[in-house]
C-alpha cells in the first residue's frame, strides 16, 4: 500500500474490478489483445525484439500473483511523489501524443538536464513521419475503420497527420568518459523522443510492416532501443491521446463514445507494453466548449479519462497522471490549449525525473 498525508492525497491504488487479469502471450512477442480479449498480431515482420518475450513472461507471472500497485496522480502536489513510483535515471524517454504533448516537449527540451549532443527532427512535420523513422510507406494506403482516425487532413492526404503544429523530434545526449585506472572509455547514452500520435487508433502512418500509426510508433521505438543496446526496462513512455478521438465518435452518444475510446486505449496500451518499461498516461484536460468545436464536450472527456484510467489497471508499470484539476489555474489560449506556463511547469516535473 502507498499512503500519504490526507491533505496532500494525490496517489491512490486503482481498485481491481475482479475481472480476469491473465495475459495470454500465445507463444509470441508480436501479439496483443484487443478490447474483446482476442489475440491480434502486431504485424511487425522482420523485427526481432527479445525484450518483448521477457516482458510478456513477466506479465504472465505477475498476473498470477497479487494485484499490482497502480496509481493515479494529480499536479502539483505530486511533485515529490512521482519519483517514488518510477525507476530513476531511465536512459530512454518516449513522448507520444498530439500538439498538447508537443508543447510539453518544447519546454522540456529547454529543461533537459543532460548535455544535448544530437538533435533530429522530421523534415516534414505533417507528412514526414515514416521518413523520420526510416520506414518505407505501405504500397497501398488503407482507409480507416469506423473507430479509427484520421478524420480530416490525413484522411484526404495519405501518410500525413491531421495536425500540423508539431512533428517527430529526437534529442540525444552521449557523454564519453575514461576510466583513470584502465583508460577504457565508457559511453553514457540517453535520449528523449517525441512522436506524433494524435489518436488512440489511426491509420495515418502505414508502413510495409505496420497497419496503424500506433504499430509504426512501437516498431520505431523498439528499433531505437535496440540500436542503442537498451531494453524496455530502460524506457519510460509518456502518453496522451483523446481530444482528436472525439471526432471519431462525433455521431455516437456519450456512452458509446467512451466505450470506443476505452477499447482503443486497451489495444494501444497492449502494444506499448512491449517497449515501455513504465507507462505514464497523462489525462485529457478541459476544453472551451463552443459551436466551432461542437464535438468536444467536457462531460465526455471526463468519462474518457475514467475509461483510460480503468484500462491502465491491467498494467503493473502503469501510472495515471491526472492533470484535469491542475489546469484550473491556467487560461485557455484557444479551445484546447493553455498558456505556455502550464506546459512549462508540467515539463519541469519530467525534467526532475530525468
Amino acid at each position: 500500500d502507498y499512503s500519504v498525508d490526507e491533505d496532500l492525497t494525490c496517489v491512490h491504488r486503482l481498485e481491481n474490478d475482479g475481472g480476469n487479469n491473465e495475459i495470454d502471450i500465445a507463444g509470441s512477442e508480436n501479439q496483443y489483445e484487443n478490447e474483446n480479449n482476442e489475440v491480434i498480431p502486431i504485424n511487425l515482420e522482420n523485427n526481432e525484439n527479445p525484450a518483448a518475450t521477457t516482458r510478456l513472461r513477466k506479465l504472465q507471472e505477475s498476473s498470477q500473483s497479487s494485484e499490482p500497485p497502480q496509481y493515479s496522480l494529480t499536479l502539483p502536489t505530486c511533485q515529490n511523489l512521482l519519483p517514488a513510483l518510477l525507476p530513476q535515471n531511465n536512459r530512454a524517454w518516449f513522448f507520444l501524443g498530439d500538439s498538447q504533448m508537443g508543447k510539453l516537449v518544447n519546454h522540456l527540451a529547454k529543461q533537459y538536464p543532460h548535455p544535448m549532443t544530437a538533435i533530429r527532427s522530421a523534415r516534414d512535420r505533417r507528412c514526414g513521419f515514416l521518413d523520420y523513422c526510416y520506414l518505407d510507406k505501405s504500397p497501398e494506403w488503407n482507409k480507416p475503420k469506423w473507430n479509427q482516425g484520421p478524420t480530416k487532413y490525413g484522411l484526404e492526404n495519405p501518410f500525413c497527420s491531421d495536425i500540423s503544429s508539431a512533428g517527430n523530434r529526437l534529442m540525444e545526449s552521449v557523454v564519453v568518459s575514461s576510466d583513470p585506472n584502465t583508460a577504457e572509455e565508457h559511453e553514457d547514452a540517453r535520449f528523449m523522443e517525441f512522436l506524433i500520435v494524435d489518436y488512440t487508433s489511426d491509420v495515418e502512418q502505414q508502413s510495409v510492416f505496420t497497419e496503424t500509426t500506433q504499430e509504426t510508433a512501437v516498431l520505431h521505438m523498439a528499433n531505437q532501443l535496440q540500436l542503442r543496446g537498451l531494453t524496455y526496462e530502460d524506457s519510460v513512455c509518456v502518453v496522451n491521446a483523446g481530444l482528436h478521438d472525439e471526432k471519431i465518435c462525433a455521431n455516437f452518444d456519450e456512452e458509446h463514445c467512451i466505450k470506443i475510446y476505452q477499447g482503443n486505449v486497451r489495444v494501444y496500451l497492449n502494444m506499448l507494453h512491449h517497449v515501455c518499461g513504465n507507462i505514464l498516461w497523462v489525462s485529457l484536460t478541459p476544453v472551451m466548449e463552443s459551436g466551432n468545436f461542437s464535438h468536444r464536450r467536457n462531460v465526455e472527456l471526463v468519462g474518457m479519462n475514467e475509461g483510460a484510467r480503468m484500462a491502465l489497471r491491467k498494467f503493473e508499470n502503469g501510472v495515471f497522471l491526472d492533470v484535469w484539476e491542475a489546469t484550473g489555474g491556467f487560461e485557455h489560449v484557444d479551445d484546447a490549449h493553455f498558456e505556455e506556463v502550464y506546459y512549462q511547469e508540467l515539463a519541469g516535473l519530467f525534467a526532475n525525473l530525468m
Side-chain angles (χ1 to χ4, degrees), residues 115-150:
M116 289 189 189
T117 56
I119 299 176
R120 187 168 72 90
S121 301
R123 293 182 179 180
D124 185 333
R125 292 194 304 183
R126 194 165 207 173
C127 305
F129 191 110
L130 292 172
D131 288 340
Y132 170 89
C133 296
Y134 301 112
L135 292 172
D136 292 330
K137 296 177 180 178
S138 171
E140 180 180 358
W141 190 84
N142 296 310
K143 293 184 178 180
K145 298 176 182 178
W146 63 273
N147 63 336
Q148 294 179 314

Side-chain angles (χ1 to χ4, degrees), residues 56-68:
L56 285 172
R57 187 177 297 113
K58 288 186 176 181
L59 272 174
Q60 189 182 48
E61 293 172 354
S62 67
S63 71
Q64 297 170 353
S65 60
S66 58
E67 176 191 350

Side-chain angles (χ1 to χ4, degrees), residues 144 147-150 197-203 212-214 241 245 248 264-265 267-268 271:
N147 63 336
Q148 294 179 314
V197 184
D198 43 354
Y199 293 90
T200 53
S201 181
D202 70 81
V203 296
T212 67
T213 301
Q214 291 68 31
D245 284 67
I248 296 176
N264 284 344
V265 169
V267 176
Y268 190 15
M271 284 189 278

Side-chain angles (χ1 to χ4, degrees), residues 168-196:
N168 295 351
R169 185 181 183 189
L170 171 72
M171 286 144 281
E172 189 165 19
S173 172
V174 179
V175 177
V176 179
S177 58
S178 298
D179 188 320
N181 298 320
T182 64
E184 292 184 356
E185 291 188 341
H186 172 72
E187 187 177 272
D188 179 25
R190 58 188 66 240
F191 69 94
M192 72 173 191
E193 185 170 37
F194 169 59
L195 299 173
I196 281 288

